[in-house]
Amino acid sequence: MNHNQVALLARPEFNLMPREKMEYAGVSALSNEELLAIILGSGCHDCDVFELARRLSQFLSTETSVPTLASLKRIRGLGKVKAAQILACLELSGRFILSDKAIPVSVPEDVLSRVSYMKYESQEHLVVISLNSANYIIRVHELTTGLVNQTPVHPREAFALAIEDRAVSVIFVHNHPSGSLEPSPEDMSITRVLCASGKILQIPVLDHIIIGKSGFTSLCRCYPEIFESTFFK
């Protein structure tokens, strides 16, 4: 998708449905919810297809392996047929496209596939990625959803889920709805606070990544002096 297409899609009047958006801008322009909405086709009696897709996306974003049919059916509004459709898609992607072996995180690019949906969000989202001692992803947790240009977080909430995961280290990721990849003064401030908190908790922050429509910025690569420990190149 080129810059002109991105600019058009950002205009309020340019409100395409997922299939139309895919035809115009390509499949990579669709958010996770839009992709799932296409697969689901319709909603259920108490919610439309987009709300059901949002619930499913929220569930899948925390999973580190292909879920079971039983676990999918526990999502409110997702019946046996739709759960089976989703499970079949996940299984096929694993068989034909994805490697059957997990890859340890060694560079910022290794985590982007898990959070790429964030670049098309209209509000700021902040997630924490917990890692084990071998640098494999344990889970991805959404911490906050904020306004168009800010999402506050307290260090206590930022590390609570990582502690539950028994994480050895963490990576924070947030998006800039404006598309800018430049860290704001607030981004720099909270990064310093999170790194200091991680040092106290002995759960080092390895990176803080900013995602935008045109790419990403690794604060660890740009400002390595802030970070106590990192394995990124």
Side-chain angles (χ1 to χ4, degrees):
M1 184 169 58
N2 61 42
H3 292 295
N4 290 333
Q5 289 172 317
V6 170
L8 280 172
L9 290 175
R11 288 164 51 183
E13 68 272 21
F14 205 81
N15 189 18
L16 297 177
M17 295 299 286
R19 289 188 181 87
E20 296 170 325
K21 188 174 178 181
M22 181 187 292
E23 183 177 0
Y24 177 81
V27 68
S28 63
L30 274 66
S31 68
N32 284 1
E33 287 84 354
E34 290 170 326
L35 291 169
L36 289 168
I38 290 176
I39 297 171
L40 292 168
S42 62
C44 59
H45 68 280
D46 69 338
C47 68
D48 62 23
V49 67
F50 297 105
E51 172 59 20
L52 185 56
R54 186 195 66 78
R55 295 175 188 173
L56 180 56
S57 177
Q58 187 174 35
F59 169 80
L60 292 175
S61 68
T62 65
E63 296 299 296
T64 56
S65 59
V66 176
T68 64
L69 186 62
S71 64
L72 285 170
K73 286 166 60 180
R74 286 196 289 269
I75 299 172
R76 185 162 58 90
L78 194 69
K80 182 170 66 176
V81 173
K82 292 186 185 298
Q85 291 173 336
I86 294 298
L87 189 59
C89 289
L90 293 172
E91 179 63 21
L92 282 172
S93 67
R95 292 185 184 185
F96 288 105
I97 301 172
L98 301 178
S99 169
D100 59 355
K101 295 183 179 179
I103 300 174
V105 175
S106 59
V107 291
E109 288 82 357
D110 290 339
V111 305
L112 294 182
S113 63
R114 296 297 303 272
V115 293
S116 61
Y117 70 94
M118 294 171 64
K119 63 184 176 181
Y120 297 111
E121 297 290 345
S122 59
Q123 292 184 315
E124 261 199 24
H125 294 253
L126 174 68
V127 304
V128 59
I129 300 173
S130 57
L131 303 172
N132 65 17
S133 60
N135 296 336
Y136 288 94
I137 293 176
I138 301 172
R139 292 182 83 83
V140 179
H141 301 281
E142 184 160 307
L143 295 174
T144 61
T145 300
L147 303 176
V148 172
N149 60 354
Q150 60 180 336
T151 175
V153 64
H154 191 282
R156 180 175 57 249
E157 285 75 31
F159 284 91
L161 293 171
I163 292 172
E164 288 183 12
D165 289 343
R166 292 178 169 80
V168 171
S169 58
V170 295
I171 299 168
F172 290 97
V173 186
H174 82 276
N175 64 306
H176 278 180
S178 66
S180 169
L181 298 179
E182 289 294 320
S184 67
E186 293 77 14
D187 293 336
M188 300 302 297
S189 177
I190 190 61
T191 300
R192 290 187 174 92
V193 170
L194 292 171
C195 286
S197 301
K199 184 176 182 179
I200 293 171
L201 294 169
Q202 297 185 343
I203 305 176
V205 177
L206 301 183
D207 203 351
H208 184 176
I209 298 171
I210 298 171
I211 290 183
K213 292 181 177 68
S214 60
F216 75 97
T217 294
S218 162
L219 293 189
C220 184
R221 279 181 174 164
C222 297
Y223 308 96
E225 67 278 4
I226 297 177
F227 297 82
E228 174 194 8
S229 174
T230 182
F231 50 83
F232 290 156
K233 300 174 182 177

